[in-house]
Amino acid sequence: MNAAPVGYARRIGPFSGTMMVVGGIIGSGIFLNPAIVAQRVGTAGLTMLVWAIGAVVAILGAFIFAELGALRPAAGGGYAYLRDAFGPLPAFLYGWALLVAIASGATAAVAVTFASYAAPLLGLGPVARIPLAAGVIVLLALVNIVGVRPGAVTQNVFTILKLAAVGALVVGGLAFSGAHPLASPVSIAPHAPPATLAIALGTALVPVLFAYGGWQQTNFVAEEMVDAERSLPRALVWGVLIVAAVYLAVNLTYLRALGVDGLAHSGAPAADAMELRFGQLGRRLIEAGIAVSTFGFLDLVILVTPRVYQAMARDGVFFRQLAVLHPRFRTPVAAIALQAGWAIALLLTGTYGELLDYVTFADWIFFAATAATLVAYRRRRVAGDERRFRAPLYPWSVVLFVLAAAYVIAGSVASSPYNALRGVLILLAGVPVYGWWRTGGRRARGGR
């Protein structure tokens, strides 16, 4: 008699789920992107307005993904929703994009960012940056292989630390009453024509929405959450609300400490704001905070994304070994190793930056498509669904979120059509791979 297959263990509680949402959103973007926004809009009021609009879009997304998670608390999150609503091919292409470029490329890129900040703090030279980046990927892969709980605890600790770093930035920056010496005109004047302002607001919204992205990753581990039907929606909504409050407070801090002109011309606004208040010690502290933030983000990506590959393998459209969970640790060891290995390969070859540039828009294609799956789920509701979380403002929440995603996609394509074409080709390359797994791969597995 064959032993029953090993399943996931429900070991992620509501607090850990909320910290995953926060940690999955806050990486390095909030420490760098506000300068781009200030450059594009030119006034303090418009800068805050764009970040507030981004918060609204993120909250709408949290509502949508909260209902999806409550209805279908399955490993793989968006992969499972796309498969149920639109069929196996779009779902496979989502997993393909995550592995080939989106998640693995982000892992490599953020590991380099971590190493760039951590190496000087550890007294290491520039030559140590790549080995340190590869080492942290290996370390976090091992942590997450030995169980979802160690990975979640690591995430909790580093999310709390990054919130503490942001708190120090806010308190220090708001207490500073001076203005940054960098004060030259920026591109958009306060009394620009409405059409010019509308364009500026639209272009500024792109980096803002990218900075707010990431809450959907917690849905990947829904099958490992305690009482996921209730705890996942709460984690998503509370997590996004926390991040929205943090982002608005941080931008207010930058504007208070640097002024809009100083913010627009700052290459490192967080470090500049802290240096004005606390000198070189302040700069060092926030650099340590950025290292902590990127470390926590890495842990989350390595923890949650391999669940997508495991779900694909469980459906018979990817390497069979990836579907196997460790009998003791209850984790997808092979899937974690695959993503870590591919991320390190991208890191060592230096190709991760190009891949991310090519498929940046694809992430939002899948955001929009996944949000649209809620329409399909609503149309075929079954008894008991009404007792679960229901997204407020439906269907307008879906319409507005999809429109926001479409804008990001259009902006990305318009700004770099050649990269977008390459990204489309990377996605299309997944079609014959999917076809092989559905035909040749099935025959190789003995007709499964």
Side-chain angles (χ1 to χ4, degrees):
M1 182 177 178
N2 293 330
V6 178
Y8 285 113
R10 294 190 179 273
R11 292 171 177 164
I12 302 174
F15 177 77
S16 293
T18 304
M19 291 299 98
M20 285 182 178
V21 174
V22 175
I25 301 174
I26 302 177
S28 59
I30 189 57
F31 300 106
L32 304 172
N33 287 8
I36 301 172
V37 177
Q39 290 167 13
R40 294 180 179 179
V41 297
T43 71
L46 291 177
T47 297
M48 293 301 297
L49 175 62
V50 173
W51 284 97
I53 293 172
V56 171
V57 174
I59 291 168
L60 292 176
F63 288 158
I64 294 165
F65 278 74
E67 179 168 346
L68 289 170
L71 288 170
R72 190 78 168 84
Y79 167 82
Y81 315 147
L82 289 168
R83 181 194 60 211
D84 291 352
F86 303 131
L89 177 58
F92 177 87
L93 292 179
Y94 178 46
W96 168 261
L98 285 173
L99 175 61
V100 172
I102 296 174
S104 299
T107 299
V110 175
V112 170
T113 302
F114 164 79
S116 298
Y117 283 97
L121 297 172
L122 297 173
L124 302 174
V127 71
R129 189 180 65 160
I130 297 302
L132 182 59
V136 76
I137 293 173
V138 172
L139 171 64
L140 289 174
L142 293 174
V143 168
N144 285 287
I145 280 174
V146 298
V148 69
R149 184 168 291 164
V153 169
T154 302
Q155 182 62 213
N156 293 348
V157 170
F158 279 86
T159 300
I160 291 170
L161 288 174
K162 81 170 66 175
L163 289 175
V166 170
L169 170 64
V170 170
V171 172
L174 292 180
F176 183 71
S177 58
H180 196 278
L182 293 174
S184 55
V186 287
S187 56
I188 302 299
H191 303 294
T196 304
L197 286 176
I199 293 171
L201 286 170
T203 57
L205 192 59
V206 174
V208 167
L209 289 179
F210 276 113
Y212 273 110
W215 70 86
Q216 81 288 352
Q217 296 179 97
T218 307
N219 289 56
F220 294 164
V221 293
E223 210 167 306
E224 296 163 87
M225 296 189 73
V226 177
D227 193 13
E229 291 84 352
R230 290 183 175 85
S231 60
L232 180 54
R234 292 172 184 172
L236 285 164
V237 174
W238 279 109
V240 171
L241 288 174
I242 290 170
V243 172
V246 166
Y247 278 12
L248 292 173
V250 168
N251 277 279
L252 185 62
T253 299
Y254 293 152
L255 293 168
R256 170 77 172 175
L258 306 174
V260 68
D261 295 341
L263 176 57
H265 291 85
S266 173
D272 287 345
M274 286 294 280
E275 185 175 4
L276 280 172
R277 183 69 181 90
F278 300 109
Q280 280 298 315
L281 175 61
R283 178 174 286 271
R284 284 296 184 92
L285 286 173
I286 202 62
E287 288 173 350
I290 295 173
V292 165
S293 182
T294 51
F295 186 93
F297 182 86
L298 274 175
D299 177 62
L300 183 82
V301 175
I302 293 171
L303 189 163
V304 302
T305 316
R307 274 63 180 172
V308 177
Y309 319 138
Q310 190 272 338
M312 293 164 64
R314 193 165 59 181
D315 288 345
V317 293
F318 216 27
F319 298 106
R320 182 172 54 185
Q321 184 59 34
L322 300 184
V324 178
L325 301 181
H326 192 280
R328 177 183 172 190
F329 302 140
R330 313 278 285 275
T331 57
V333 175
I336 294 172
L338 174 65
Q339 178 171 287
W342 181 240
I344 291 172
L346 296 178
L347 175 71
L348 296 178
T349 58
T351 57
Y352 59 89
E354 292 180 353
L355 277 175
L356 280 177
D357 287 342
Y358 300 158
V359 301
T360 292
F361 75 101
D363 207 11
W364 281 85
I365 290 176
F366 290 115
F367 259 12
T370 304
T373 65
L374 183 57
V375 178
Y377 278 111
R378 286 261 187 152
R379 285 179 176 175
R380 58 176 186 240
R381 276 191 174 275
V382 297
D385 284 353
E386 65 279 356
R387 294 193 298 272
R388 304 184 187 190
F389 181 90
R390 293 172 65 88
L393 306 177
Y394 178 89
W396 294 110
S397 56
V398 175
V399 171
L400 292 173
F401 184 83
V402 170
L403 286 175
Y407 178 81
V408 173
I409 296 164
S412 298
V413 173
S415 64
S416 185
Y418 186 58
N419 280 351
L421 175 61
R422 288 187 170 187
V424 170
L425 293 177
I426 289 173
L427 287 179
L428 291 178
V431 176
V433 176
Y434 170 79
W436 185 87
W437 279 108
R438 296 290 289 182
T439 56
R442 179 176 295 176
R443 286 194 297 269
R445 295 189 303 272
R448 179 182 170 188

